Structures are given as C-alpha cells and as structure tokens.
Amino acid sequence: MYRHKITKAGQVSIPAEIRHRWQTSTVAIEDEGDRIVLRPVPDDPISALRGVFAHLRRPDLSAAEAIRAARDEDVEISERKWPSPAA
C-alpha cells in the first residue's frame, strides 16, 4: 500500500512501478462512497479492442449467414420468452 499527499491542485502521484506494471497513463476514478478506486484504462481504447472477439470468428459462415443465424436465434429466444397464445 502507498500513502500519498494530495496537492492543493488536487493531484496525486502514482508510483512509477505501478504505472509501468499497468502500462497506461490513463485511469478511471470511481467514488464508491467510502473509498476512491483508480482503475487503469487503455490510452487508446479503440486499439485495445482490436481482436477481442477473434475467438468468435466463424470462417465457415459468410457475414450474411452469420447475421441470419443471429436473427434466427433472437426470434427463438423471443418465442420462448413470450409464447404466442394458443389459437
């Protein structure tokens, strides 16, 4: 644990070893009522997301087929959730 003073300008220094470990110069600040939480966030969030869905890739499907399959799945889920009244 580190203990640091907050400057009159409201600044706090994050130790170099922590900055290097998380490899970022940007943090999100969360006020949780009884504590403040600093979370590292990517300096470039768009680049950080590249390839995040690679494990979902289906080379056996075209884009149109994948969209159709997703829509069919949505219809099935909706039908299970809200079944049509018996005629």
Side-chain angles (χ1 to χ4, degrees):
M1 179 191 302
Y2 296 90
R3 183 180 167 129
H4 289 276
K5 291 267 186 188
I6 300 172
T7 68
K8 290 181 182 180
Q11 298 173 333
V12 176
S13 295
I14 298 173
E17 64 186 74
I18 294 173
R19 290 193 318 267
H20 295 308
R21 176 178 171 220
W22 290 102
Q23 299 178 356
T24 186
S25 61
T26 308
V27 294
I29 301 170
E30 298 176 34
D31 181 352
E32 294 187 350
D34 62 338
R35 70 184 64 119
I36 297 169
V37 177
L38 298 177
R39 297 191 190 281
V41 294
D43 292 327
D44 183 359
I46 303 301
S47 292
L49 289 174
R50 286 208 171 97
V52 75
F53 295 115
H55 67 285
L56 299 175
R57 189 172 294 134
R58 294 275 316 265
D60 58 319
L61 291 178
S62 69
E65 291 168 330
I67 291 169
R68 172 53 55 203
R71 286 181 180 159
D72 291 344
E73 183 179 344
D74 284 345
V75 168
E76 289 174 19
I77 291 169
S78 294
E79 288 174 349
R80 281 195 307 268
K81 213 173 196 182
W82 298 290
S84 357

